[in-house]
């Protein structure tokens, strides 16, 4: 899979949105935000303390018992210093600072920053519980720090509205970050799915090539074995027969090597990612008579009944599948029933089904020439027929006792 896309300016992103962020570190943007938050909280704490000790306080909420002034300053400075830990332990700081919400003026900005952090980075139930507690402390805070210029409930409403603005801002930031993370996750999934589709397509192509090679090479090698066996068991054959058999062997070996060379070239080009070049024309239904003639030349007794009026009307994929079925049937007959008569029948027309049937007598006793096989020929043919939307049957016919390989392929008009 290709590497994740790195943003042009990662220092502008929060640490939680960096691509490698499982345990994110502070980015330059995070440091800037933390410094600004600390300075704002510290500035408010110093301004509030200076106003409280002045002879004419400007902030009405600084009114209250005189002993609260020193305690309030220490609480505010502690909260400002604790802001440097808010990214790691926001909930812990919020819980520790809850009592200060009852009386502290200097810690007000720092406490709001901690609440903002919890709402952005932690589950919503935790943030909602924290905001609810702060809302509950508003009436008590107003009673301890009354505002002489506003009525009691007016002060409560103003404070609640200010907390609501902070909550709304935090929810906006949280939603935006979740949207960014969702889009990134979707992009990663799309990239992974695309790579999976490419791998599946490559695997399907390799499987198709392997199936084609099984069909072609099994046919070629069975012809080689048949002619070599004939030469072995006919040492008294005439020179003309020997020359003809040797010519068929040479031609079949040459064709098999050419097919093998092409497949190896395709696989190498696929691995290297290069162009494989144009493929050779694939066989169709019109090539079945030539296939039967090739088997006859090898000494196999084959009868062909072709009831298809115009093989050129057969769809290319259907005709290729029918060719491979006949090829596999002739190959199996040479392997398992040498010397038997093979009957091939083709029938059908547009708007109906294309029927392909190969029959040969069931072999009696072990064959005189056993060719090795993987047993996957019929499996590959069955897969071809299934993908084409047809039906395949094979096995011993109870009525005649012959081995029968039959397929019905859809032939749309």
């Amino acid at each position: 899979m290709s590497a994740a896309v790195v943003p042009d300016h990662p220092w502008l992103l929060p640490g939680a949105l960096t691509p490698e962020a499982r345990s994110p570190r502070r980015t330059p943007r995070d440091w800037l935000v933390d410094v600004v938050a600390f300075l704002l909280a510290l500035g408010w704490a110093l301004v509030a303390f200076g106003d409280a000790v002045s002879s004419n306080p400007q902030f009405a909420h600084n009114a209250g018992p005189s002993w609260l002034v020193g305690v309030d300053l220490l609480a505010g400075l502690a909260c400002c210093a604790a802001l440097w830990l808010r990214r790691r332990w926001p909930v812990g700081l919020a819980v520790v600072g809850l009592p200060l919400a009852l009386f502290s003026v200097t810690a007000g900005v720092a406490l709001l920053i901690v609440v903002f952090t919890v709402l952005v980075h932690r589950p919503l139930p935790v943030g909602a519980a924290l905001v609810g507690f702060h809302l509950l402390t508003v009436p008590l805070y107003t009673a301890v720090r009354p505002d002489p210029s506003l009525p009691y409930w007016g002060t409560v409403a103003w404070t609640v509205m200010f907390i609501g603005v902070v909550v709304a801002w935090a929810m906006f930031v949280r939603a935006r970050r979740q949207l960014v993370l969702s889009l990134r996750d979707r992009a990663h999934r799309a990239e992974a799915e695309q790579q999976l589709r490419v791998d599946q397509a490559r695997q399907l192509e390799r499987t198709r090539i392997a199936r084609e090679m099984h069909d072609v090479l099994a046919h070629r090698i069975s012809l080689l074995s048949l002619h070599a066996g004939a030469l072995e068991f006919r040492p008294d054959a005439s020179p003309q027969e020997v020359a003809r058999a040797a010519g068929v062997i040479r031609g079949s070996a040459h064709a098999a090597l050419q097919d093998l060379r092409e497949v190896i070239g395709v696989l190498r080009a696929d691995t290297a990612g290069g162009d494989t070049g144009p493929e050779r024309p694939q066989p169709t239904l019109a090539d079945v008579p030539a296939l039967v003639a090739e088997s006859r030349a090898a000494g196999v007794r084959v009868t062909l009944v072709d009831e298809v009026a115009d093989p050129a009307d057969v769809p290319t994929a259907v005709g290729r599948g029918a060719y491979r079925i006949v090829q596999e049937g002739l190959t199996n007959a040479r392997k398992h029933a040498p010397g038997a008569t093979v009957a091939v029948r083709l029938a059908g027309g547009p708007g109906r089904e294309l029927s392909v049937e190969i029959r040969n007598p069931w072999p009696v006793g072990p064959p005189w020439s056993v060719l090795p096989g993987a047993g996957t020929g019929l499996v590959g043919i069955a897969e071809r027929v299934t993908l084409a939307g047809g039906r395949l049957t094979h096995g011993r016919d109870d009525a005649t006792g012959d081995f029968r390989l039959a397929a019905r392929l859809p032939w749309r008009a």
Side-chain angles (χ1 to χ4, degrees), residues 2 57 76 102 127 135 199 224 235 238 255 283 287 329:
S2 59
L102 296 172
L135 293 177
D199 293 340
L224 288 174
S238 64
D287 297 312

Side-chain angles (χ1 to χ4, degrees), residues 210-211 214-215 218 324-325 327-329 331-332 335-336 373-385 392 394 405:
R211 187 167 59 239
H214 172 273
D215 296 340
R324 295 302 184 194
I325 293 170
Q327 187 180 56
E328 179 65 22
T331 302
N332 286 337
K335 283 183 179 181
H336 307 294
T376 59
L378 292 178
V379 175
I381 293 299
E383 184 181 356
R384 283 180 182 274
V385 175
L392 179 71
H394 58 85
L405 174 63

Side-chain angles (χ1 to χ4, degrees), residues 10-375:
W11 59 274
L12 292 176
L13 292 176
L17 296 183
T18 53
E20 67 279 358
R22 169 166 278 193
S23 56
R25 297 181 178 181
R26 282 189 179 99
T27 62
R29 176 191 179 278
D30 292 337
W31 281 106
L32 178 62
V33 171
D34 290 347
V35 169
V36 172
F38 173 76
L39 293 179
L40 285 176
L42 181 61
W44 168 256
L46 296 178
V47 169
F49 174 73
D51 183 72
V53 298
S54 66
S55 58
N56 185 20
Q58 298 297 318
F59 302 140
H61 283 296
N62 277 323
S66 58
W67 59 268
L68 276 180
V69 176
V71 175
D72 194 3
L73 177 62
L74 294 177
L77 293 178
C79 284
C80 292
L83 287 179
W84 293 103
L85 304 176
R86 68 186 179 90
R87 294 185 182 274
R88 180 169 295 184
W89 299 296
V91 178
L93 291 179
V95 172
V96 172
L98 286 178
L100 301 180
L102 296 172
F103 65 91
S104 179
V105 178
T106 58
V109 174
L111 291 178
L112 286 177
I113 293 174
V114 172
V115 171
F116 181 90
T117 304
V118 173
L119 289 172
V120 171
H121 295 282
R122 292 298 180 265
L124 283 180
V126 177
L130 180 62
V131 172
F133 182 85
H134 277 273
L135 293 177
L136 291 177
T137 61
V138 170
L140 298 177
Y141 175 83
T142 306
V144 175
R145 301 279 195 174
D147 188 341
S149 62
L150 288 176
Y152 176 81
W153 290 110
T155 304
V156 171
W158 177 258
T159 307
V160 169
M161 184 182 68
F162 191 75
I163 294 176
V165 171
V166 174
V167 171
W169 184 19
M171 290 295 97
F172 170 76
V173 174
R174 179 186 180 90
R176 185 174 178 276
R177 291 192 178 188
Q178 288 183 341
L179 176 62
V180 172
L181 292 175
S182 174
L183 292 176
R184 178 189 296 168
D185 181 66
R186 185 179 302 175
H188 288 170
R189 285 204 309 266
E191 184 182 7
E193 290 173 358
Q194 175 64 20
Q195 185 64 35
L196 180 61
R197 284 193 293 268
V198 171
D199 293 340
Q200 288 177 344
R202 183 180 293 111
Q203 184 62 35
L204 288 175
E205 182 64 16
R206 288 173 177 266
T207 303
R208 183 190 68 81
I209 293 172
R211 187 167 59 239
E212 294 287 340
M213 286 312 301
H214 172 273
D215 296 340
V216 174
L217 289 182
H219 173 72
R220 302 289 186 191
I221 294 174
S222 64
L223 289 177
L224 288 174
S225 177
L226 186 63
H227 283 279
L231 292 178
E232 180 182 2
F233 284 91
R234 288 287 308 278
D236 56 342
S238 64
Q240 293 79 8
E241 293 176 344
V242 173
R244 185 170 61 253
V248 174
I249 292 175
R250 181 183 58 81
S252 298
H254 178 75
L257 287 176
Q258 183 179 3
D259 294 331
L260 185 60
R261 187 182 302 111
E262 288 184 358
V263 170
I264 292 175
V266 169
L267 294 178
R268 286 176 177 172
D270 179 68
T271 303
D275 185 11
T276 60
E279 295 183 356
R280 288 194 305 169
Q282 295 294 314
T284 61
L285 190 67
D287 297 312
V288 170
L291 180 66
V292 171
E294 187 178 28
S295 294
R296 286 172 180 167
V300 181
R301 293 176 292 174
V302 185
T303 61
L304 174 62
V305 178
D306 190 354
E307 299 177 0
V308 178
D310 189 0
D313 291 339
V314 181
T316 303
V318 176
R320 184 184 307 127
Y323 180 92
R324 295 302 184 194
I325 293 170
V326 175
Q327 187 180 56
E328 179 65 22
L330 294 176
T331 302
N332 286 337
R334 288 193 295 269
K335 283 183 179 181
H336 307 294
T341 301
V342 183
V344 179
R345 180 176 177 272
L346 304 175
R352 296 180 292 153
E353 293 179 326
L354 175 63
S355 175
V356 183
E357 184 182 68
I358 302 96
R359 285 179 174 270
N360 61 268
W362 192 265
V364 179
W368 56 269
S369 177
V370 179
L371 295 177

